[in-house]
Amino acid sequence: MAADGCGAPAQDTALPASVDIEKETVLTGTVVNDEGEAVQGAYVRLLDGSGEFTAEVVTGEGGQFRFFAAPGKWTLRALSRFGDATGEVEAAQGLNETKLAVSR
Amino acid sequence: MAREDVLVTADWAEENLDTPGVVFVEVDEDTSAYDTGHIKGAVKIDWKDDLQDPVRRDFVNQEQFSQLLSARGIANDDTVVLYGGNNNWFAAYAYWYFKLYGHASVKLLDGGRKKWELDARPVTTEVVKREATTYVAKPQDASIRALRDEVTAAIGTKNLIDVRSPDEYAGRLLAPAHLPQEQSQRAGHVPTALSVPWSKAANEDGTFKSNDELREIYVGEAGLDEDKSTIAYCRIGERSSHTWFALRELLGYEDVKNYDGSWTEYGSLVGVPIALGDEPGTK
């Protein structure tokens, strides 16, 4: 069996049971449009403290996204057909939630 | 090689959806995206189920690749246009693969699925049926694939390009940040490898940067030696296919190889040197 790919898994599923939430630093949240409705199919990228690209996922139903990172300063950047959004996060170990409102 | 010989724009693609002899192929790790909507007429290839051997950690062989393309209705003289999600990682991997097995005319759709979606271009769920062909793959072209011994021999002699994120390079993370981090291999990078994340080659919408920008990134900023051969690697070889494409197909460097074993192999080897931290390290 080949090693699993580096592609992003589906974003609208529950955290896999194998993931230890106590050990991981999870950056999660939703992408919404001007009307506050969830945006499915938005591209969300995680940029590190120096603005360097780290990862990208596509939001699932409910506009959800999820990253496994490390404690520290991160930037979230969302691109969608409804526009773009940027958010800054100071992440700590455990769950860190952010809402990204995209607009033109 | 001219850029248009290896890369097509979304506009070109939309104008050539019905052109005879042009076959669109969507390649992904998770092909469920294809089923929710794909470019009209496109067939799908699953990165894992179709391109990897189910038992050994290796590619499907020449015979299996011939059978796959025959079943998908792709002929030896077709122009294959590849696209996919994840900024075309898996499409670039498939591109490298089509080259490995000697396909004559293969191109990437610039920006892949992402640009297509952000542009709100049409997709369809229509089932695509192409008549089977009798495709004949060529023997593997060893000149574009690096194996592990070649990588250890390249330390301090060839250009080694680590295209993972800076945190993976330094050993602070073991996998991209959208994946859980529990892994068995050691963290770090191959000593003397330059860190040039794959993402530097792409714009935010997934299209490739211009050749002038690319040359500045690899040669100007990172210090790639243009007179030396180059090996690119990542974690499993798909992100590095994207960089391999930028270096060999866009910038035209002749001896560029992709190390598909990449960090999941190298980081598990006994006795090989590993460098930690943000600097390339020494031999």
Side-chain angles (χ1 to χ4, degrees):
Chain A
M1 189 81 157
D4 277 340
C6 286
Q11 296 292 299
D12 47 5
T13 51
L15 271 174
S18 58
V19 175
D20 185 348
I21 193 74
E22 300 285 307
K23 281 194 201 159
E24 301 273 354
T25 300
V26 183
L27 279 76
T28 184
T30 50
V31 176
V32 296
N33 64 15
D34 280 342
E35 264 86 63
E37 296 159 344
V39 179
Q40 186 177 359
Y43 289 83
V44 183
R45 5 184 76 191
L46 181 70
L47 310 174
D48 70 14
S50 66
E52 190 61 63
F53 173 94
T54 304
E56 181 179 270
V57 298
V58 183
T59 56
E61 216 176 315
Q64 286 166 308
F65 62 86
R66 180 194 296 147
F67 295 103
F68 299 88
K73 218 173 111 116
W74 299 92
T75 300
L76 292 162
R77 170 99 178 123
L79 295 188
S80 80
R81 278 174 283 179
F82 304 102
D84 311 336
T86 306
E88 306 291 335
V89 183
E90 189 71 48
Q93 206 166 15
L95 270 185
N96 300 267
E97 292 199 53
T98 309
K99 187 179 270 189
L100 295 169
V102 292
S103 61
R104 290 241 174 259
Chain B
M1 198 178 312
R3 204 175 171 95
E4 55 269 24
D5 291 339
V6 293
L7 199 61
V8 302
T9 63
D11 283 340
W12 183 94
E14 211 171 334
E15 285 158 17
N16 286 279
L17 292 177
D18 300 309
T19 303
V22 174
V23 185
F24 287 84
V25 182
E26 178 162 339
V27 190
D28 265 309
E29 181 185 20
D30 169 13
T31 53
S32 62
Y34 174 92
D35 300 326
T36 62
H38 53 79
I39 292 180
K40 189 183 143 204
V43 294
K44 71 173 169 182
I45 288 182
D46 185 308
W47 171 78
K48 186 188 267 183
D49 292 350
D50 294 330
L51 297 181
Q52 313 295 328
D53 186 282
V55 180
R56 300 160 58 235
R57 181 172 171 197
D58 204 351
F59 302 154
V60 292
N61 62 28
Q62 189 182 350
E63 180 63 38
Q64 291 166 309
F65 190 67
S66 299
Q67 287 168 3
L68 171 69
L69 266 55
S70 300
R72 292 292 190 278
I74 298 169
N76 283 77
D77 57 358
D78 281 335
T79 290
V80 173
V81 178
L82 300 163
Y83 76 97
N86 285 296
N87 294 278
N88 266 344
W89 289 350
F90 296 95
Y93 179 90
Y95 179 102
W96 173 66
Y97 212 103
F98 271 75
K99 286 283 183 193
L100 206 65
Y101 282 122
H103 191 80
S105 179
V106 53
K107 298 163 195 266
L108 268 188
L109 169 58
D110 204 11
R113 199 178 163 97
K114 180 186 194 175
K115 173 146 178 65
W116 196 269
E117 286 179 6
L118 291 174
D119 288 354
R121 292 177 194 265
V123 292
T124 172
T125 52
E126 259 172 55
V127 175
V128 178
K129 184 78 193 105
R130 296 183 61 85
E131 288 298 312
T133 60
T134 46
Y135 190 92
V136 183
K138 294 193 174 138
Q140 235 183 67
D141 176 2
S143 75
I144 58 173
R145 185 187 196 192
L147 298 174
R148 59 178 178 265
D149 291 343
E150 213 176 328
V151 175
T152 46
I155 295 172
T157 31
K158 292 183 180 177
N159 294 305
L160 283 162
I161 305 282
D162 186 316
V163 316
R164 297 172 300 161
S165 61
D167 281 340
E168 290 174 87
Y169 176 85
R172 292 184 288 269
L173 291 180
L174 263 166
H178 51 252
L179 296 173
Q181 298 296 316
E182 299 279 284
Q183 305 281 342
S184 55
Q185 72 266 15
R186 297 306 174 99
H189 59 264
V190 182
T192 73
L194 303 170
S195 171
V196 188
W198 71 271
S199 53
K200 285 201 184 283
N203 296 306
E204 206 175 44
D205 65 1
T207 56
F208 279 97
K209 289 185 178 160
S210 72
N211 281 10
D212 286 346
E213 288 171 309
L214 291 173
R215 204 169 289 109
E216 175 56 25
I217 289 161
Y218 293 105
V219 183
E221 293 170 20
L224 178 129
D225 184 340
E226 291 185 283
D227 297 328
K228 286 185 181 172
S229 305
T230 301
I231 298 173
Y233 73 91
C234 58
R235 176 173 165 264
I236 52 162
E238 16 70 310
R239 285 177 286 177
S240 50
S241 300
H242 186 274
T243 295
W244 172 87
F245 182 89
L247 291 171
R248 186 176 182 271
E249 305 298 282
L250 295 179
L251 291 180
Y253 295 119
E254 275 175 22
D255 187 7
V256 184
K257 293 187 179 188
N258 183 29
Y259 171 37
D260 58 289
S262 274
W263 196 257
T264 52
E265 177 177 59
Y266 193 93
S268 303
L269 292 175
V270 175
V272 294
I274 289 179
L276 282 173
D278 297 307
E279 297 303 319
T282 52
K283 190 174 177 180

